């Protein structure tokens, strides 16, 4: 099936138990508390494409990333990787090595006591892809060259590198098992802009050269626009708008997407943007109906009680009553 | 006359392996009511410049040269007790992380009244009334009740509003805001920037806005100083610096930012990284990464030179 998506996520939810310890709960006569971090999220990523999830802190985007690589199982819904369910795919090393992850903080994601060559070679050894010191050494050298470092850097420890170089090491490690699918969770958020440009360019080059598929997680809309083919905008655990990135950026439909885009500082200095009132509500006790209604300029009685389904508008899916009803001004 | 004048400021850190010069001859002024943006990448010295002005350098860091004048009077050599009176009363400060700025064991109202009563002659009742008014002015609803709340009871955006109230409540003439929105989400960031702009405009307060986010500077600042390796690479009106940068570093920095308005296939990148303090190259510190480098750049260090609308420390502009 060459045309089947590489990854299909279908109505996936993840609930975390955030109750206090049992004894305290019993003494205070409290109910169990649960937090619905991801709520019926669906999307599909084609081979060689980049899908980005964007949203503010606490919207569940990183939880989706962790669900997709199998760091924890979904509470409900299914994730299929190359047509196989993720739990079945994770059980086979041959499939498992084909997905990998790049984390946000290159200071925390590299073991400070390991030499770079061992860090990069770990997936090779773990999957038994190569044996023999020389073969592994050659491959590590090649991987380091691929991300713009020198093979001799393999002898060094992570602390000898700057943040951008460390992120290159994480990318080399992620690439060592020759994956086809990479989950990148805020890969440049900890980096300065000039270094961010280097890493984003490197990721695009590698995607073209190796035909990689990316799930890209970020809060930075400008970075997301630069990287994505497809886009999903998340709010309080739900995708509120998804579709081709260019369409959403040129004509955002959901009031939340419009608000996010308007909130970005304007580099052309035309000014006159309208900051939006309010903050993201607690995901432990989300508002009924549409989760965005308390901040939405278009909210009406229906939005307060009934949760919107997805309305297809061209290639874009939007979860908004106002868009569905054609209400565009309050 | 400029409200704040910084002349040839130098900041050093003595270490076991010799003295590191983190800021090396920085000069600029801020006019009354003006917003000066200071941008640069981590380690460029932008936060240290703010800390040096306000007298909050962490030891062993020390001012090793130059002068800081507020209203024509030197403030860089004042004894700590005198400096404490200036801090808060004349110069307010807003830092990146509101949780470490606020004292977790006192209600926010008490922190506001304490600050005001330290610097202004106010009765308890007056101070309390003003504290409530400040909370409402920074957009915290029901100030009369929230005045008794503790910092942990506020969200991140609300805490930063309290910090802004705290910085402005003694009505200082200059506010140093160090990455005031970096810890916040974009929608909250927009609210905070808007608030800071309107409050400082209403009170005619000058602002030194330190940030790595060019977008925030473009929207907020009147002039901008771009720092690189402890020196100002370029300074000038914000529009000129963003649209027609004169220094190759500024040009590279602007090209490396993904803009939301337009999509490019590849970002311009500046190869390499900013040098470490113990390995700053001779001549212009940017010369190993500069696409226009020539012999003079490798031996002679440029000072700020007139470069059309801005001033840039670059030999390309030596007439």
């Amino acid at each position: 099936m060459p045309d089947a998506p590489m990854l299909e996520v279908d109505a996936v939810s993840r609930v975390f138990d955030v109750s206090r310890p049992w004894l305290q709960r019993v003494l205070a006569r409290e109910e169990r508390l649960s937090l619905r971090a991801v709520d019926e999220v669906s999307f599909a990523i084609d081979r060689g494409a980049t899908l980005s999830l964007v949203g503010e802190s606490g919207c569940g985007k990183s939880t989706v990333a962790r669900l997709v690589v199998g760091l924890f199982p979904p509470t409900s819904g299914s994730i299929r990787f190359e047509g196989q369910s993720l739990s079945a795919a994770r059980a086979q090393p041959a499939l498992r090595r084909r997905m990998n992850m790049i984390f946000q903080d290159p200071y925390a994601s590299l073991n400070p006591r390991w030499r770079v060559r061992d860090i990069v070679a770990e997936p090779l050894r773990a999957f038994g892809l190569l044996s023999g010191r020389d073969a592994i050494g050659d491959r590590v050298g090649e991987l380091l060259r691929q991300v713009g470092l020198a093979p001799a850097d393999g002898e060094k420890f992570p602390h000898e590198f700057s943040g951008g170089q460390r992120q290159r090491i994480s990318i080399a490690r992620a690439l060592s098992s020759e994956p086809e699918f990479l989950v990148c969770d805020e890969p440049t958020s900890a980096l300065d802009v000039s270094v961010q440009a280097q890493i984003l360019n490197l990721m695009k080059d590698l995607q073209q050269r190796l035909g990689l598929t990316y799930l890209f997680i970020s809060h930075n809309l400008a970075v997301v626009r630069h990287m994505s083919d497809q886009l999903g905008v998340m709010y309080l655990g739900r995708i509120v708008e998804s579709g081709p990135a260019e369409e959403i950026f040129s004509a955002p439909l959901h009031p939340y997407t419009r608000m996010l885009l308007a909130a970005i500082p304007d580099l052309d200095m035309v000014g006159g943007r309208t900051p939006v009132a309010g903050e993201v509500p607690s995901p432990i006790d989300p508002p009924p109906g549409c989760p965005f209604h308390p901040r939405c300029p278009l909210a009406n009685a229906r939005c307060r009680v009934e949760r919107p389904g997805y309305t297809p508008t061209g290639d874009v899916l939007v979860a908004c009553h106002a868009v569905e009803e054609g209400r565009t001004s309050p | 006359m400029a409200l704040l004048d910084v002349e040839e400021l130098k900041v050093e850190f003595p270490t076991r392996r010799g003295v590191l010069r983190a800021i090396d001859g920085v000069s600029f002024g801020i006019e009354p009511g003006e917003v000066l943006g200071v941008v640069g990448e981590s380690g460029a010295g932008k936060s240290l410049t703010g800390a040096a002005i306000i007298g909050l350098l962490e030891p062993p860091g020390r001012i090793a040269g130059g002068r800081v004048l507020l209203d024509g009077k030197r403030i860089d050599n004042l004894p700590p007790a005198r400096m404490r009176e200036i801090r808060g009363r004349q110069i307010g400060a807003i830092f990146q992380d509101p949780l470490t700025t606020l004292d977790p064991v006192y209600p926010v109202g008490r922190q506001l009244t304490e600050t005001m009563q330290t610097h202004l002659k106010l009765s308890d009742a007056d101070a309390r009334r003003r504290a409530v008014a400040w909370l409402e002015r920074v957009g915290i609803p029901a100030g009369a009740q929230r005045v008794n709340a503790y910092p942990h009871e506020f969200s991140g955006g609300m805490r930063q509003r309290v910090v802004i109230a705290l910085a402005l409540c003694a009505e200082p003439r200059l506010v140093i805001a160090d990455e005031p929105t970096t810890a916040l989400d974009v929608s909250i960031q927009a609210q905070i920037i808007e608030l800071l702009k309107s409050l400082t405009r209403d009170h005619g307060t000058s602002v030194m806005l330190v940030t790595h986010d060019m977008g925030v500077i473009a929207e907020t600042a009147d002039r901008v100083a771009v720092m690189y390796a402890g020196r100002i690479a370029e300074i000038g009106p914000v529009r000129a610096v963003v649209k027609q940068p004169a220094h190759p570093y500024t040009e590279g920095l602007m090209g490396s930012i993904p803009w939301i308005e337009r999509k490019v296939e590849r970002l311009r990148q500046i190869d390499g990284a900013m040098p470490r303090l113990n390995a700053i190259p001779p001549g212009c510190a940017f010369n190993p990464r500069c696409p226009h480098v020539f012999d003079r750049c490798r031996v002679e260090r440029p000072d700020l030179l007139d470069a059309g609308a801005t001033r840039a420390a670059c030999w390309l502009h030596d007439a």
Side-chain angles (χ1 to χ4, degrees):
Chain A
M1 287 195 301
D3 293 320
M6 177 128 223
L7 183 88
E8 284 171 279
V9 172
D10 187 20
V12 161
S13 300
R14 171 72 204 195
V15 179
F16 290 107
D17 188 346
V18 291
S19 319
R20 292 209 286 168
W22 175 80
L23 187 61
Q24 288 180 30
R25 206 172 65 233
V26 170
L27 290 176
R29 294 174 196 278
E30 281 176 7
E31 296 287 312
R32 272 192 173 276
L33 265 186
S34 61
L35 183 156
R36 195 166 265 271
V38 173
D39 194 1
E40 304 212 349
V41 161
S42 304
F43 57 85
I45 313 179
D46 290 328
R47 189 177 293 274
T50 302
L51 181 136
S52 297
L53 292 177
V54 68
E56 299 179 273
S57 0
C59 73
K61 54 192 191 302
S62 289
T63 307
V64 173
R66 282 163 171 71
L67 288 168
V68 163
V69 288
L71 287 177
F72 30 66
T75 309
S76 67
S78 76
I79 303 174
R80 298 174 77 78
F81 181 66
E82 301 232 292
Q84 292 202 45
S85 91
L86 189 71
S87 48
R90 299 280 318 165
Q92 307 166 25
L95 273 178
R96 193 164 67 222
R97 71 163 183 82
R98 293 171 57 190
M99 56 163 70
N100 217 327
M101 186 159 180
I102 302 169
F103 295 92
Q104 170 172 0
D105 185 355
Y107 293 83
S109 62
L110 302 176
N111 188 333
R113 290 164 183 273
W114 283 24
R115 287 183 196 274
V116 167
R117 62 171 145 83
D118 296 319
I119 292 174
V120 175
E122 193 187 11
L124 295 173
R125 296 207 173 93
F127 290 114
L129 297 175
L130 279 176
S131 56
R133 279 181 76 108
D134 292 346
I136 291 181
D138 288 350
R139 175 80 180 123
V140 167
E142 187 190 319
L143 285 161
L144 288 175
R145 242 195 317 265
Q146 203 164 44
V147 296
L149 296 170
D153 288 331
E155 294 305 308
K156 298 185 188 163
F157 287 96
H159 74 261
E160 296 174 65
F161 295 91
S162 69
Q165 289 172 315
R166 285 183 212 212
Q167 204 58 306
R168 288 174 193 267
I169 297 169
S170 322
I171 294 174
R173 173 179 61 186
L175 291 175
S176 67
S177 63
E178 295 177 25
E180 289 145 52
F181 177 61
L182 282 182
V183 176
C184 316
D185 188 3
E186 304 261 15
T188 61
S189 303
L191 307 175
D192 277 317
V193 281
S194 75
V195 181
Q196 165 172 287
Q198 295 171 6
I199 298 294
L200 294 178
N201 283 342
L202 172 67
M203 288 178 64
K204 277 198 145 184
D205 292 345
L206 290 170
Q207 179 166 39
Q208 270 169 13
R209 201 162 352 128
L210 307 173
L212 297 171
T213 307
Y214 288 138
L215 171 62
F216 192 90
I217 311 283
S218 181
H219 70 280
N220 185 329
L221 283 148
V223 168
V224 161
R225 170 158 211 189
H226 181 65
M227 294 299 288
S228 336
D229 303 307
Q230 301 281 315
L231 178 66
V233 181
M234 289 191 71
Y235 188 75
L236 275 180
R238 300 241 299 158
I239 291 185
V240 295
E241 181 163 3
S242 63
E246 275 315 298
E247 278 187 41
I248 297 181
F249 277 110
S250 53
L253 292 169
H254 197 283
Y256 179 64
T257 316
R258 297 219 296 260
M259 183 206 94
L260 268 186
L261 284 171
I264 296 201
D266 185 5
L267 289 145
D268 282 333
M269 294 170 285
V270 212
R273 83 193 141 90
T274 42
V276 179
E279 301 190 9
V280 183
S282 159
I284 294 179
D285 185 22
C290 171
F292 188 59
H293 84 253
R295 301 172 76 187
C296 182
L298 305 178
N300 66 7
R302 185 178 173 205
C303 302
R304 285 178 203 108
V305 287
E306 188 191 330
R307 201 181 198 196
Y310 290 102
T311 317
T313 313
D315 292 331
V316 178
L317 284 177
V318 194
C320 176
H321 292 311
V323 171
E324 188 197 335
E325 296 164 10
R327 282 186 284 127
T328 48
S329 51
Chain B
M1 192 179 64
L3 174 67
L4 179 81
D5 251 314
V6 177
E7 296 172 359
E8 284 300 311
L9 181 69
K10 294 185 178 68
V11 172
E12 287 181 348
F13 286 83
T15 69
R16 268 181 300 172
R17 292 199 206 118
V19 173
L20 293 180
R21 182 160 288 181
I23 296 180
D24 197 1
V26 161
S27 305
F28 61 87
I30 303 182
E31 302 294 322
E34 183 184 46
V35 179
L36 176 78
V38 179
V39 277
E41 301 182 81
S42 351
K46 51 193 193 307
S47 293
L48 269 183
T49 306
I53 291 169
I54 204 172
L56 288 178
L57 278 179
E58 298 254 355
R62 58 170 190 236
I63 296 182
R67 306 195 299 168
V68 180
L69 299 114
L70 185 71
D71 249 347
K73 290 187 212 63
R74 275 188 81 163
I75 57 166
D76 56 288
N77 56 358
L78 294 178
R82 269 294 290 141
M83 198 59 212
R84 228 176 0 248
E85 289 168 23
I86 287 179
R87 231 173 7 239
R89 182 69 190 92
Q90 310 273 355
I91 308 179
I94 300 169
F95 297 104
Q96 172 171 350
D97 181 2
L99 252 196
T100 48
T101 307
L102 297 170
D103 191 329
V105 300
Y106 294 111
V108 295
R110 165 142 179 216
Q111 300 185 43
L112 280 164
T113 53
E114 187 182 308
T115 306
M116 285 187 280
Q117 288 183 304
T118 306
H119 297 294
L120 311 171
K121 282 200 167 57
L122 287 176
S123 69
D124 288 355
D126 275 346
R128 200 176 162 79
R129 209 164 22 244
R130 282 205 193 187
V132 173
W134 267 108
L135 287 182
E136 298 196 331
R137 211 172 297 165
V138 295
I140 294 175
Q145 285 109 58
R146 301 293 268 166
V147 76
N148 295 319
Y150 288 84
H152 76 265
E153 298 175 74
F154 291 85
S155 68
M158 287 294 161
R159 272 182 214 137
Q160 199 61 307
R161 288 168 191 270
V162 175
V163 171
I164 290 178
L166 213 45
L168 295 176
C169 67
E171 291 164 3
R173 304 174 56 198
L174 171 69
V175 171
I176 295 182
D178 188 355
E179 305 271 8
T181 60
T182 306
L184 307 172
D185 279 317
V186 275
S187 67
I188 311 298
Q189 171 178 318
Q191 296 170 8
I192 296 292
I193 288 292
E194 207 47 53
L195 175 70
L196 196 59
K197 264 163 79 175
S198 71
L199 284 180
T200 51
R201 198 171 40 227
D202 294 349
H203 290 81
T205 316
S206 305
V207 181
M208 175 174 157
L209 176 65
V210 176
T211 176
H212 69 279
D213 189 334
M214 242 359 260
V216 169
I217 296 268
E219 282 232 329
T220 319
D222 302 310
R223 283 192 309 139
V224 56
V226 181
M227 289 192 73
Y228 186 80
R231 289 175 61 82
I232 293 182
E234 181 164 2
I235 185 165
V238 68
R239 184 169 283 275
V241 173
V242 172
K243 299 282 179 190
Q244 293 128 18
H247 195 289
Y249 173 64
T250 321
E251 208 183 330
L253 192 66
M254 294 301 154
S256 67
I257 302 172
W259 284 164
I260 193 83
E261 295 90 356
R262 60 185 149 88
K263 182 168 175 168
V264 291
E265 217 25 67
R266 263 183 90 75
L267 296 167
R268 275 239 340 242
Q269 65 180 59
I270 322 173
D271 288 322
M274 198 164 58
R276 296 187 182 192
L277 290 181
N278 56 8
I280 292 186
C284 170
F286 187 60
N287 86 65
R289 303 172 73 188
C290 183
H292 308 298
V293 63
F294 53 101
D295 290 344
R296 191 179 184 185
C297 310
R298 297 195 184 91
V299 285
E300 213 180 324
R301 193 171 75 175
D303 282 318
L304 287 172
L305 303 165
D306 280 320
T310 72
R311 289 167 66 75
C314 177
W315 289 126
L316 289 174
H317 300 286
D318 191 24

